[in-house]
């Protein structure tokens, strides 16, 4: 497999590659606008409407799992056999099919059809992500792979920020919309929207097909059978399904027959099942790591401890990133946090996702190889420009951003962390995780603006984690690289388990929404632990990205 094409080809290939990163953020964030429409149009309760996110994120897990299983049956890694380029094309075309199914679903299939369509779109995303992440790392020195993923992540975050605004304009003619506008929305508008989305998927696929700058990225090596990995993932999947069945009982109408006390008991039961699902993932991965250390045969990519612990790190990272935001709206409704109305919360949500964009833009600066002095200057200018862009875009969308002007002080803290970490992926992950712990503790011990800023800054410290975790986890995997990437993509499932756990914890009167933020503290603490141990693991294998970057 070609891993170090010429620099000119690298730049062209990377520019084409990051276009797909935009779609992932744009579509995923747009679900936040689509959910209230479905809730009203199909007369759903709040929990049923959240099945949209569950179908979307669940597809990542099942899609990556399917790639692995089919690869094991054929004895070759499917993404490696197809090549990174063709895999991304197939994923885009699959998502295009999902958009067509969505058009059919909104007109003929009802809510179940919409869930199925979103599932297909996200299956395509799963294939794209499995190929695109290691592809970005392969376009240069692996030690700087996290910087290239950061560049894609910055584009992804830009899509996350403007996605809901563009979709709201497309559906309502304005970024600010009311319940009456949602209720008046017709299926024809949604059909037009997804016709446009499907066209974009097709256009991007054609861009890859006709691009001569993007190398094929084929790895046709025969893989050893990974029977033990197949077995443990099969067991984890079966147990997760058994855990999720009682969690989603309300979707089949059981809750409507219960008293308020009965519903409360059922909600507590749901939290227990979610905790059990979390335990299944954690115990399954840790036991696999323990067994693989004793005998590597039959584990495939899971024979590498950095990958197994990295899978858990991705699970936790996605979980904490989504959880902070998902529970923020409820927190801001409390009197001690401003007592905001639902219509006043969106600027804070936008700033949270914008915080991810700020960090990823800064993390991508090394891709452009600036001189030392210019780089130092950019480390200050780029986050300020990104922060200003967030304020500007939301102000144009008629949102009051004045309560968030002083949030720029948190951005300065992040700038300091970038200077200290010096682009070293393991140290950067450790430092930002510690800052995440500190920010959550400040939020837990205070209230008002200080606490709000502290919780929002979780986005700043999450911003660089995905590329750091990903590049460290697949370091040294060789022919198992794309298989390892598929395993990591599976762990996006954390976004469907950790946020509901925090939400259910918040429902317990003795805990409440404020104290439920101990969940992110635990998540950030594990990520700091992973950063600390993975550096030692890789050193034993002769890999030290932090030192390599220091010597550049």
């Amino acid at each position: 497999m070609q891993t170090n094409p010429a620099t000119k080809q690298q730049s062209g290939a990377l520019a084409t590659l990051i276009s797909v990163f935009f779609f992932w953020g744009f579509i995923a964030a747009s679900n936040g606008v689509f959910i209230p429409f479905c809730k009203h149009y199909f007369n759903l309760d709040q929990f049923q409407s959240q099945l949209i996110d569950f179908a979307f994120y669940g597809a990542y897990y099942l899609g990556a799992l399917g790639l692995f299983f089919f690869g094991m049956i054929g004895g070759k890694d499917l993404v490696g056999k197809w090549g990174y380029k063709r895999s991304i094309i197939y994923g885009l075309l699959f998502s295009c099919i999902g958009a067509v199914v969505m058009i059919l679903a909104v007109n003929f299939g009802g809510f179940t059809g919409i869930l199925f369509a979103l599932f297909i779109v996200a299956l395509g995303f799963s294939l794209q992500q499995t190929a695109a992440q290691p592809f970005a790392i392969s376009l240069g020195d692996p030690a700087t792979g996290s910087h290239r993923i950061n560049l894609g992540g910055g584009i992804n975050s830009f899509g996350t920020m403007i996605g809901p605004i563009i979709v709201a304009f497309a559906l309502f003619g304005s970024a600010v919309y009311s319940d009456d506008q949602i209720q008046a929305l017709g299926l024809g508008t949604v059909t037009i929207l997804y016709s446009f989305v499907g066209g974009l998927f097709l256009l991007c696929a054609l861009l890859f097909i006709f691009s001569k700058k993007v190398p094929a990225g084929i790895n046709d090596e025969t893989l050893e059978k990974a029977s033990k990995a197949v077995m443990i993932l099969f067991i984890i999947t079966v147990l997760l399904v058994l855990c999720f069945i009682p969690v989603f009982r309300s979707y089949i109408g059981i809750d409507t027959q219960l008293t308020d006390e009965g519903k409360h008991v059922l909600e507590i039961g749901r939290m227990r099942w979610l905790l059990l699902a979390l335990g299944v993932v954690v115990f399954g991965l840790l036991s696999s790591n323990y067994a693989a250390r004793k005998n590597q045969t039959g584990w495939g990519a899971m024979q590498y401890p950095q990958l197994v612990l990295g899978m858990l790190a991705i699970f936790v990272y996605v979980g904490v990133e989504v959880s902070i935001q998902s529970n923020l709206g409820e927190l801001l409704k409390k009197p001690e946090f401003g007592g905001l109305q639902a219509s006043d919360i969106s600027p804070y949500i936008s700033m949270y996702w914008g915080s991810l964009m700020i960090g990823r833009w800064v993390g991508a600066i090394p891709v452009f190889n600036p001189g030392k002095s210019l780089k130092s200057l950019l480390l200050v200018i780029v986050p300020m420009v990104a922060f200003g862009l967030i304020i500007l875009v939301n102000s144009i969308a008629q949102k009051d951003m004045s309560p968030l002007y002083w949030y720029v002080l948190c951005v300065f803290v992040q700038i300091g962390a970038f200077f200290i970490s010096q682009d070293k992926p393991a140290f950067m992950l450790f430092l930002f995780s510690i800052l995440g712990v500190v920010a959550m503790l400040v939020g837990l011990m205070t209230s008002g603006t200080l606490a709000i800023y502290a919780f929002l800054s979780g986005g700043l410290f999450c911003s660089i984690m995905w590329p750091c975790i990903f590049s460290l986890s697949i370091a040294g995997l060789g022919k198992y690289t794309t298989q390892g990437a598929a395993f990591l993509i599976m762990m996006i499932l954390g976004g469907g388990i950790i946020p509901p756990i925090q939400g259910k914890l918040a429902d317990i009167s003795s805990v409440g929404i404020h104290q439920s933020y101990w969940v992110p503290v635990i998540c950030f603490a594990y990520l700091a632990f992973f950063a600390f141990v993975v550096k030692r693991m890789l050193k034993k294998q002769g890999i030290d990205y932090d030192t390599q970057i220091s010597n550049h």
Side-chain angles (χ1 to χ4, degrees):
M1 179 171 59
Q2 187 75 13
T3 57
N4 286 297
T7 303
K8 185 177 180 181
Q9 187 182 45
Q10 280 186 4
S11 301
L14 187 61
T16 305
L17 177 62
I18 61 175
S19 62
V20 297
F21 283 74
F22 177 83
F23 285 114
W24 306 333
F26 182 91
I27 300 299
S30 300
N31 287 344
V33 179
F34 198 51
I35 285 172
F37 161 71
C38 290
K39 183 178 180 181
H40 167 75
Y41 195 89
F42 297 104
N43 195 29
L44 308 173
D45 61 31
Q46 182 63 21
F47 190 76
Q48 289 170 334
S49 70
Q50 297 303 308
L51 288 172
I52 287 177
D53 274 340
F54 183 78
F56 193 80
Y57 288 110
Y60 277 96
Y61 176 81
L62 294 177
L65 185 67
L67 282 174
F68 170 63
F69 280 168
F70 282 114
M72 284 298 96
I73 292 172
K76 290 183 181 294
D77 179 85
L78 285 183
V79 172
K81 181 180 178 180
W82 294 335
Y84 294 141
K85 180 177 179 178
R86 274 206 297 167
S87 296
I88 292 172
I89 292 170
Y90 293 160
L92 286 164
L93 293 177
F94 211 82
S95 293
C96 184
I97 292 172
V100 174
V101 173
M102 176 64 76
I103 294 170
L104 297 174
V106 295
N107 289 282
F108 308 109
F111 185 58
T112 301
I114 285 176
L115 291 178
F116 180 63
L118 281 171
F119 184 82
I120 295 175
V121 170
L123 278 180
F125 283 6
S126 177
L127 177 54
Q128 293 167 45
Q129 290 235 28
T130 301
Q133 306 286 347
F135 197 6
I137 292 174
S138 74
L139 293 174
D141 186 343
T144 59
S146 62
H147 303 153
R148 291 184 289 280
I149 297 181
N150 257 324
L151 178 61
I155 301 300
N156 175 274
S157 294
F158 182 69
T160 300
M161 183 183 69
I162 70 169
I165 296 174
I166 291 177
V167 171
F169 267 109
L171 296 180
F172 309 112
S174 170
V176 180
Y177 51 90
S178 64
D179 290 341
D180 290 340
Q181 286 177 291
I182 292 175
Q183 294 171 9
L185 189 64
L187 292 177
T189 308
V190 179
T191 299
I192 293 172
L193 172 64
Y194 269 88
S195 297
F196 176 71
V197 169
L200 286 178
F201 287 141
L202 182 59
L203 181 64
C204 193
L206 292 173
L207 177 65
F208 272 85
I209 289 171
F210 293 108
S211 175
K212 296 180 180 180
K213 296 180 179 179
V214 181
I218 294 174
N219 182 356
D220 204 22
E221 290 186 67
T222 300
L223 292 179
E224 301 170 16
K225 294 294 183 181
S227 56
K228 294 177 183 176
V230 169
M231 181 57 65
I232 192 65
L233 290 172
F234 176 77
I235 292 173
I236 288 175
T237 302
V238 171
L239 291 177
L240 285 175
V241 170
L242 293 176
C243 290
F244 286 140
I245 287 174
V247 170
F248 292 115
R249 290 173 69 197
S250 64
Y251 183 53
I252 57 177
I254 293 177
D255 287 4
T256 58
Q257 305 169 12
L258 297 176
T259 63
D260 290 341
E261 182 179 353
K263 289 180 179 179
H264 176 72
V265 171
L266 186 57
E267 290 299 315
I268 295 297
R270 283 191 184 125
M271 187 178 74
R272 290 172 179 166
W273 282 109
L274 284 168
L275 287 172
L276 183 58
L278 175 63
V280 166
V281 174
V282 173
F283 179 78
L285 292 179
L286 293 181
S287 61
S288 299
N289 180 49
Y290 178 76
R293 283 174 179 267
K294 288 190 170 184
N295 183 0
Q296 296 179 352
T297 305
W299 284 104
M302 292 180 73
Q303 68 186 267
Y304 295 91
Q306 66 266 30
L307 176 70
V308 178
L309 295 183
M311 290 169 67
L312 186 55
I314 287 289
F315 180 89
V316 169
Y317 155 72
V318 175
V320 71
E321 178 188 274
V322 175
S323 192
I324 292 173
Q325 179 271 327
S326 294
N327 293 283
L328 188 62
E330 189 64 28
L331 181 77
L332 294 174
K333 293 178 183 178
K334 298 297 180 182
E336 62 270 31
F337 290 94
L340 301 181
Q341 301 296 316
S343 59
D344 300 322
I345 291 171
S346 60
Y348 296 87
I349 303 300
S350 180
M351 183 57 74
Y352 176 77
W353 290 118
S355 296
L356 290 160
M357 183 185 76
I358 292 171
R360 288 168 180 170
W361 281 20
V362 179
I365 289 174
V367 173
F368 303 99
N369 297 314
K372 188 175 181 180
S373 298
L374 178 58
K375 180 180 176 182
S376 297
L377 185 62
L378 290 174
L379 285 177
V380 177
I381 292 176
V382 170
M384 291 298 100
V385 170
F387 178 76
L389 182 62
I390 297 166
I391 297 293
L392 177 63
V393 168
N394 282 277
S395 297
I396 292 173
Q398 301 178 346
K399 297 179 182 179
D400 180 15
M401 300 299 287
S402 58
L404 291 165
Y405 289 161
W406 285 105
Y407 181 69
V408 71
L409 297 176
C410 297
V411 178
F412 281 122
V413 173
Q414 186 197 52
I415 291 171
F418 273 111
F419 273 103
I420 294 170
S421 59
Q422 298 178 341
D423 301 327
K424 302 173 183 177
F427 179 55
M428 181 181 287
L429 178 60
F430 178 78
L431 178 60
F432 276 60
S433 298
I434 294 297
L435 288 172
V437 171
V438 172
M440 295 304 105
L441 290 175
V442 169
L444 282 163
M445 295 176 183
T446 60
S447 61
T449 301
L450 178 59
I452 293 171
Y453 280 12
F455 288 135
L456 285 176
S457 68
L460 293 171
F461 305 129
C462 280
S463 60
I464 53 79
M465 288 185 173
W466 174 280
C468 289
I469 296 169
F470 210 100
S471 61
L472 292 168
S473 298
I474 67 172
L477 265 60
K479 64 181 179 180
Y480 293 108
T481 297
T482 52
Q483 186 185 103
F487 290 164
L488 292 171
I489 298 302
M490 290 179 201
M491 294 298 102
I492 290 177
L493 182 66
I497 295 180
I498 291 178
I501 288 176
Q502 183 179 347
K504 297 300 181 188
L505 191 63
D507 288 336
I508 300 175
S509 57
S510 59
V511 179
I513 185 65
H514 189 189
Q515 294 304 309
S516 73
Y517 273 81
W518 280 103
V519 172
V521 172
I522 296 171
C523 292
F524 281 124
Y526 172 76
L527 292 169
F529 166 78
F530 170 74
F532 180 76
V533 299
V534 75
K535 182 176 174 66
R536 293 188 173 188
M537 287 178 178
L538 292 176
K539 269 190 173 182
K540 290 181 179 179
Q541 300 172 34
I543 302 169
D544 189 352
Y545 285 170
D546 285 6
T547 301
Q548 286 179 247
I549 288 175
S550 296
N551 294 332
H552 278 178

